[in-house]
Amino acid sequence: MSDIAMNPQTGTMTVPDVHHDEHGHHHHESFVTKYIFSQDHKMISKQFLITGMMWAIIGGLFSVFFRMQLGYPDQTFPWMEDILGRWAEGGRIKAEFYYALVTMHGTVLVFFVLTAGLSGTFSNLLIPLQVGARDMASPMLNMLSYWFFFLAGIVMLSSLFVQTGPFSGGWTAYPPLSAVGEMSQGSKTGADLWIVSMALFVVSSLLGGLNYIATVLNMRTKGMTMTRLPLTIWAFFFTAVLGVLSFPVLFSGFILLLFDRNLGTSFYLSEIYVQATQSALPNEGGSAILYQHLFWFLGHPEVYIILLPAMGMASEIISVNSRKPIFGYMAMIGSLFAIAILAFLVWAHHMFVTGLNPFLGSVFVLLTLLIAVPSAIKVFNWLTTLWRGNIRFTPGMLFAIGFVSLFISGGLTGIFLGNSALDIHLHDTYFVIAHFHIVMGVASFFGMFAGVYHWFPKMYGRYMNNTLGYIHFWGTLICAYLIFWPMHYEGLAGMPRRYYDYSQWQSFKQFGGLNEFITIFAIISFALQLLFVFNFFFSIFKGRKLTTPNPWNANTLEWTTPINAGHGNWPGDIPEVYRWAYDYGKDGVDHIPQTQPVGANESHH
């Protein structure tokens, strides 16, 4: 204890920085402790990102397979049989496997990519760096959160190889299809593996979320008050709170589903006759609607667990590249808070057609429309930040602006679906697919891409290729609108989702050409994402090297660390913070970092 010194003026104690001692243990890490079982938040963020990218390729490939079926229902593709084997005999996907592809595509992209890949990557990378901490509150739990996610991925992947095939009850896993093994091939072993994988995923999310909350509340550097935090940190904080409060509900729903499947309980099952076995089930007293309540109580906060990190990163990137302070900082925090509260009060708008009491439905209509208000505040503030800004169109900035575009256009169609009278017509049609893919899926991907391009230099000490970035942006934006915008019209015409072949329907045969058009752009879009993956991995090793620690002239603390920071982030003392994160163009100065003391003659923001 003799190394601990007391400062007589301030009364504070100084503890030596063990992380960067010349003979510290971090300099003698083996490959396994540095790259595999690392407890450094920066390495764990890379593990989340690269694992998420692998899953995105798999999930995207699934969508290419079923789009081939939808676009060309009468044709065969021999190469499909080479990849999918007996599930695509003769080069045509089997009907029972089609729904398994849809199920796995939704599960993988919503949970493994846009939840773990987005939050896991950027909460891990940015929370310690932007609040001024050496690492997470618990590096050990942080490591475990990644390995639970990895284990969940292994279990999910293994379900693709079981004899009866992967789970095919939809990514929402509604009973009785998910609760009774005899219902279909995809309700057998694959369903159990799916539920176990999702339970492991929930554990990963809870470990991560508790860690993020503890770090933001307890590990901020000197001077970093809550109102000086960048909006990224506020977004990650509210995301973690949403996850910690809602994921346990889903976990309980899954455990009860496992009980119904394997232990003969009747939580979700009652008075069901199974035609395949010509017998009635003995279950009585359960309610399939109970599962829907438990699922959507997570399911709607989940939308914002995916969207809020993208919102936070878009706010930061738009401000940095507009060279302007973010407009309405406190209003942005308030709207994040309002979204987090309202996210828990709107889940039954997914259930307007379940026989929900119409009066109760009207309450959920009101709350659903209300959540548009804080979302609109954010949009107006982003647009006002861009207004008359000195904008730099980096690939990261383009994706952040693209996020705003998609959030507006996708969000507007949510107003249709939030109205219970309209939703009865539009429910389970292509209109719903178009709405949530644009507002939640593609928009969040754009937020994620913006974050990768913007913070890649911080992660790897190199730049990604800008030309490939511009091709990736414009191609993906055009494809996103050409894929999902036409689906709104199909949905308004009543075209139902989840159907294997529309060519036999007199009503929907007219959309054959449109389905083919959508399929072509889905394939082009998938190819563009492979271009991004190439750019990412090529740039890690061959990208242009960083020459300055702060390439974007940003104000936040992560750019005060060395270009390739070690475990512990700062070689000396952690910098002290004197101001908020958005002093751009103030008093004629381009940017003023948070670590610069406030001058005597400085104007107030």
Side-chain angles (χ1 to χ4, degrees), residues 110 114-115 118-119 234-243 246-247 296-312 335-347 349-350 367-376 378 382 403 407 410-411 414 435 439-440 444:
V110 169
L114 290 173
T115 304
L118 187 51
S119 276
W234 277 107
F236 298 145
F237 177 72
F238 283 123
T239 301
V241 170
L242 282 173
S246 61
F247 268 116
W296 288 116
F297 190 79
L298 160 96
H300 206 83
E302 172 67 18
V303 170
Y304 293 100
I305 287 169
I306 289 171
L307 268 172
L308 289 184
M311 288 178 171
S335 59
L336 284 170
F337 182 58
I339 287 170
I341 299 276
L342 287 166
F344 282 106
L345 304 176
V346 297
W347 79 89
H349 69 208
H350 297 267
L367 292 165
T368 301
L369 297 179
L370 207 56
I371 207 166
V373 175
S375 301
K378 301 194 80 59
W382 288 321
F403 165 80
F407 184 68
H435 160 69
V439 77
M440 185 182 90
S444 298

Side-chain angles (χ1 to χ4, degrees), residues 36-41 43-49 51 111-112 115-117 119-125 135-153 197-212 215 244:
I36 300 175
F37 296 110
S38 174
Q39 294 187 26
D40 182 358
H41 69 98
M43 183 57 66
I44 294 170
S45 83
K46 294 173 190 176
Q47 291 174 323
F48 269 108
L49 179 58
T51 309
F111 293 110
F112 287 19
T115 304
S119 276
T121 299
F122 291 104
S123 295
N124 264 308
L125 178 70
D135 207 314
M136 283 290 174
S138 171
M140 181 70 174
L141 281 187
N142 206 22
M143 180 186 78
L144 284 174
S145 81
Y146 171 73
W147 284 105
F148 269 105
F149 166 52
F150 187 81
L151 192 57
S197 169
M198 289 305 302
L200 290 167
F201 175 81
V202 170
V203 174
S204 161
S205 298
L206 291 173
L207 289 172
L210 290 168
N211 221 345
Y212 306 150
T215 307
V244 166

Side-chain angles (χ1 to χ4, degrees), residues 528-549:
L528 285 163
Q529 307 326 306
L530 294 180
L531 181 72
F532 164 75
V533 172
F534 166 78
N535 188 5
F536 180 86
F537 286 106
F538 181 81
S539 300
I540 289 175
F541 302 104
K542 299 287 186 183
R544 186 163 51 94
K545 283 188 176 176
L546 213 57
T547 54
T548 168

Side-chain angles (χ1 to χ4, degrees), residues 34 47 51 114 141 217 410 417 420 424 475 520 603:
K34 183 170 184 185
Q47 291 174 323
T51 309
L114 290 173
L141 281 187
L217 292 180
L417 295 170
S420 57
I424 288 166
I520 290 166
S603 60

